[in-house]
Amino acid sequence: MEPMNLLSVSEFLLLGFSSQPRMQLLLFAVFLAIYLAILFENSLIFVLIKIDSHLHMPMYFFLANLSFLDISYTTTTVPQMLLHLLSKKKNISYVGCIIQMYIFLSLGITECILYAVMMVASSWVGGFFFAMVHTGVTMRLPYCGLNEINHFFCEVPAILKLACADTRVTKVVVFVMGVILLMTPVFLILVSYVFIMVASLRISSAEGGLKAFSICTAHFTMVTLFYGAAMFMYMRPASSYSPERDKYFSFFYNVVSALLNPLIYSLRNKDVKGALVKLMGLLGSFPSFRRGEVEQGGAGTQDSWYLLVMEQF
Ligand SMILES: *[C@@H]1O[C@H](CO)[C@@H](O)[C@H](O)[C@H]1NC(C)=O
């Protein structure tokens, strides 16, 4: 990358998804609807788990934390993207960019670790720590001249493209972090699912086995979508980085996963459904719902994934 001048960049421009006014209006409407749906679903899950004492156990704390994370980390990017779709000014200050990058990474990494270990506290600590490393290695590079980010928010691979210095070392660090933070969780989750599949084969009724299998498939699709898109962004040779295409991948772990998570993990769970019906019963006058037997959730990864699958009957 050739420096055009030696002045440091004081702000960046986020090009976003489109520059055509009509298209921008359409995207605004679609993204706004998606964002509102994300807020609604995830706060519903969060509130249900907070107010229903039957749901005060590790697996549901995991789901509540997941919903809280999904709201927070879409909120670090989507409202700004919506504003930029409506306005001609698409700039973000240098400091604003660092802050956005850091918060987004912290929450994103927390989510990556959370899926793998399901231990809430360690995920948050890990997320905020690793994000510091990531943001640090990216922002210690000089940025001068070029300041147009072909992306919808300040994300590491898109920013690195603009650095006016040798980025090889930084890219190696980003790659190694990707291996640790993406490959390890995927491996742990795969192992958990092998155990669950084996357990579901032992379910005596064919219908039960089939149901467990279909739930596993749904979870597995979500995990693939989330980690697959993130791996694609953070774990490959920099030469293959194409901003024009990559922002769509980023959109998957940013927005699509937050939209689908509650539907896949929480709202199919019979106790969460029970709590929902009960809440509606309190609000209106729906007949109260008979709850199924509630098993005590374990804190281990395999136990929790197991319960997440088996509790959906
Ligand atoms: C996350 O889980 C912990 C339990 O480990 C719980 O105390 C906390 O309230 C949860 N946080 C949110 C935001 O749901």
Side-chain angles (χ1 to χ4, degrees):
M1 194 120 312
E2 268 182 40
M4 289 175 171
N5 58 51
L6 293 177
L7 283 180
S8 291
V9 163
S10 63
E11 62 172 23
F12 293 101
L13 298 180
L14 288 164
L15 299 185
F17 282 108
S18 173
S19 55
Q20 278 185 304
R22 274 223 186 124
M23 191 61 188
Q24 286 187 334
L25 220 55
L26 178 68
L27 288 177
F28 176 82
V30 173
F31 291 156
L32 180 64
I34 293 179
Y35 183 57
L36 292 177
I38 290 173
L39 292 184
F40 175 74
E41 293 169 324
N42 284 292
S43 33
L44 180 65
I45 301 297
F46 186 76
V47 168
L48 281 178
I49 293 174
K50 286 279 153 198
I51 61 176
D52 194 318
S53 59
H54 292 97
L55 301 182
H56 291 176
M57 53 175 105
M59 183 179 68
Y60 299 105
F61 287 142
F62 160 75
L63 292 173
N65 275 259
L66 191 61
S67 283
F68 180 73
L69 265 174
D70 280 340
I71 290 179
S72 331
Y73 97 129
T74 46
T75 300
T76 61
T77 60
V78 179
Q80 183 199 41
M81 172 175 73
L82 289 173
L83 276 181
H84 282 176
L85 281 170
L86 287 188
S87 104
K88 287 213 160 54
K89 282 186 62 181
K90 297 176 195 304
N91 52 327
I92 179 168
S93 70
Y94 181 85
V95 174
C97 199
I98 298 181
I99 294 173
Q100 184 182 47
M101 181 187 291
Y102 178 66
I103 296 179
F104 172 77
L105 277 171
S106 302
L107 299 169
I109 296 172
T110 301
E111 184 150 339
C112 286
I113 305 177
L114 188 63
Y115 277 123
V117 301
M118 293 195 164
M119 305 255 194
V120 173
S122 64
S123 312
W124 286 92
V125 173
F128 280 77
F129 171 75
F130 286 114
M132 215 147 62
V133 179
H134 240 121
T135 310
V137 294
T138 306
M139 294 326 265
R140 81 185 166 86
L141 296 169
Y143 291 87
C144 50
L146 296 173
N147 75 339
E148 286 189 351
I149 304 172
N150 190 355
H151 201 44
F152 61 98
F153 73 106
C154 287
E155 189 168 21
V156 171
I159 300 277
L160 279 181
K161 201 100 184 128
L162 303 179
C164 42
D166 189 349
T167 56
R168 272 175 301 179
V169 175
T170 313
K171 280 166 184 160
V172 170
V173 174
V174 170
F175 178 82
V176 171
M177 301 264 290
V179 173
I180 299 170
L181 297 171
L182 297 170
M183 295 290 273
T184 317
V186 165
F187 176 75
L188 290 175
I189 293 168
L190 278 179
V191 170
S192 301
Y193 272 92
V194 170
F195 278 98
I196 296 169
M197 293 310 264
V198 170
S200 73
L201 289 179
R202 282 199 227 107
I203 295 176
S204 50
S205 76
E207 198 199 345
L210 209 63
K211 190 138 189 216
F213 185 80
S214 98
I215 294 162
C216 276
T217 311
H219 287 185
F220 195 71
T221 308
M222 278 313 291
V223 167
T224 310
L225 203 73
F226 182 78
Y227 286 99
M231 281 179 186
F232 185 81
M233 269 308 258
Y234 287 89
M235 290 184 55
R236 69 205 154 121
S239 54
S240 66
Y241 184 71
S242 146
E244 201 44 47
R245 175 194 61 200
D246 295 349
K247 50 192 173 191
Y248 295 96
F249 278 89
S250 184
F251 191 72
F252 270 99
Y253 51 80
N254 257 287
V255 179
V256 178
S257 71
L259 182 68
L260 298 182
N261 276 344
L263 303 178
I264 303 271
Y265 296 121
S266 300
L267 286 172
R268 295 175 64 182
N269 176 289
K270 74 171 169 12
D271 292 317
V272 174
K273 273 193 280 197
L276 177 61
V277 174
K278 227 166 52 180
L279 177 70
M280 294 195 307
L282 285 179
L283 298 177
S285 52
F286 290 86
S288 74
F289 186 76
R290 249 183 67 86
R291 303 173 48 81
E293 282 295 299
V294 179
E295 283 172 73
Q296 196 61 41
T301 305
Q302 263 157 34
D303 285 352
S304 299
W305 280 112
Y306 182 80
L307 286 174
L308 215 53
V309 172
M310 298 306 172
E311 283 280 300
Q312 299 195 359
F313 287 80

